[in-house]
Amino acid sequence: MLELVTIPRFKRILLKLSGEVLMGPGQFGIDPDTVDRVAGEIKAAKEAGHELCLVVGGGNIFRGLAAAAKGFDRTSADYMGMLATVMNALAVQNALEKIGVQTRVQSAIPMASVCEPYIRRRAERHIEKGRIVIFAAGTGNPFFTTDTAAALRAAEMNCDALFKGTSVDGVYDADPKLVPTAKRYESLSFGRVLADNLKVMDAAAVALCRENDIPIVVFNIRGEGNLAAVLRGEGTSTIVCNEEEEANGRL
């Protein structure tokens, strides 16, 4: 009797985690229990047949733009923020390897004593061998966000989709934390996001995903089991895709 094999609709995904997610219930830093829970969900996604790579933000430790607003030199502040993402990446790596998941951290800012430098072909080989690659230090350049880094790495790794794990369960027409009647979108076109200036990701990241036809799936990573549910197409999320896909309901 033949065994039916379910093929994931998105085989290779890039998961973008905001640094704030790693704070857990705290107001700053890294909460080990939260990192362990997220690592467990990432392991479950891998076991479900997905190939994964990650980009982690650094806002739980240092946010360059906010520091620049308080008088820091913007370039220096952005580099400090990039270093914060390396700390988060190492924390996620540690949590994954504790539960038996092989990982590699690659940094856009070379620091050989801590992690590998970012080399695209090497990252591809790691993913092909079943390892999870965590990309750190953004793009390695100031004035670019980790959202843009996520879109760039998703394109370079030929990912089928970019999953953005945040504190809300999708994209709304207003901040749902401030406006109780805010409407959540099931799907959006890249053009609509850019034209209406919806706060999905920064404009450069959205444009890069549009140019490379990489859907963006926005969901709440704080809820236990949400990543697995969204990957199965069952969870609550918003999908941002090109106009034809949205019209045809392909996703």
Side-chain angles (χ1 to χ4, degrees), residues 168 170-185 198:
V168 292
V171 181
Y172 287 77
D173 59 0
D175 188 341
K177 297 176 182 178
L178 302 176
V179 183
T181 58
K183 172 190 172 185
R184 185 181 64 82
Y185 298 100
L198 297 174

Side-chain angles (χ1 to χ4, degrees), residues 200-216:
V200 179
M201 305 177 85
D202 63 73
V206 174
L208 190 55
C209 286
R210 179 174 64 177
E211 290 169 9
N212 292 278
D213 195 17
I214 301 171
I216 302 170

Side-chain angles (χ1 to χ4, degrees), residues 28 56-68 70-88 107 109 111 136-138 140-144 146:
F28 178 82
V56 186
N60 56 319
I61 299 172
F62 192 90
R63 188 176 292 279
L65 192 59
K70 295 180 180 179
F72 275 74
D73 172 73
R74 174 64 190 275
T75 299
S76 296
D78 279 355
Y79 278 120
M80 294 168 71
M82 292 179 216
L83 296 179
T85 72
V86 177
M87 296 173 66
N88 284 338
S107 170
I109 299 176
M111 46 186 80
N141 302 288
F143 301 100
F144 289 92
T146 50

Side-chain angles (χ1 to χ4, degrees), residues 24-210:
Q27 300 298 314
F28 178 82
I30 300 170
D31 178 62
D33 291 338
T34 299
V35 177
D36 287 346
R37 178 189 63 77
V38 172
E41 298 214 15
I42 294 170
K43 179 180 181 180
K46 181 178 182 298
E47 291 175 342
H50 298 278
E51 297 177 341
L52 291 103
C53 48
L54 278 67
V55 168
V56 186
N60 56 319
I61 299 172
F62 192 90
R63 188 176 292 279
L65 192 59
K70 295 180 180 179
F72 275 74
D73 172 73
R74 174 64 190 275
T75 299
S76 296
D78 279 355
Y79 278 120
M80 294 168 71
M82 292 179 216
L83 296 179
T85 72
V86 177
M87 296 173 66
N88 284 338
L90 293 175
V92 174
Q93 179 186 43
N94 178 70
L96 284 168
E97 296 201 334
K98 279 197 307 183
I99 55 177
V101 180
Q102 286 193 334
T103 70
R104 295 291 188 274
V105 174
Q106 290 197 348
S107 170
I109 299 176
M111 46 186 80
S113 298
V114 177
C115 53
E116 295 181 2
Y118 171 65
I119 300 173
R120 183 182 64 84
R121 289 177 64 86
R122 182 182 293 178
E124 286 184 325
R125 296 293 88 78
H126 287 321
I127 294 173
E128 289 168 359
K129 291 178 180 179
R131 298 166 185 150
I132 291 177
V133 180
I134 307 172
F135 299 115
T139 66
N141 302 288
F143 301 100
F144 289 92
T145 68
T146 50
D147 279 350
T148 301
L152 176 62
R153 299 294 183 243
E156 290 179 305
M157 293 298 108
N158 296 310
C159 291
D160 300 315
L162 191 165
F163 278 60
K164 183 175 181 181
T166 69
S167 300
V168 292
D169 58 358
V171 181
Y172 287 77
D173 59 0
D175 188 341
K177 297 176 182 178
L178 302 176
V179 183
T181 58
K183 172 190 172 185
R184 185 181 64 82
Y185 298 100
E186 289 290 335
S187 64
L188 285 164
S189 68
F190 291 118
R192 175 79 180 277
V193 169
L194 293 171
D196 292 357
N197 195 28
L198 297 174
K199 304 301 181 182
V200 179
M201 305 177 85
D202 63 73
V206 174
L208 190 55
C209 286
R210 179 174 64 177

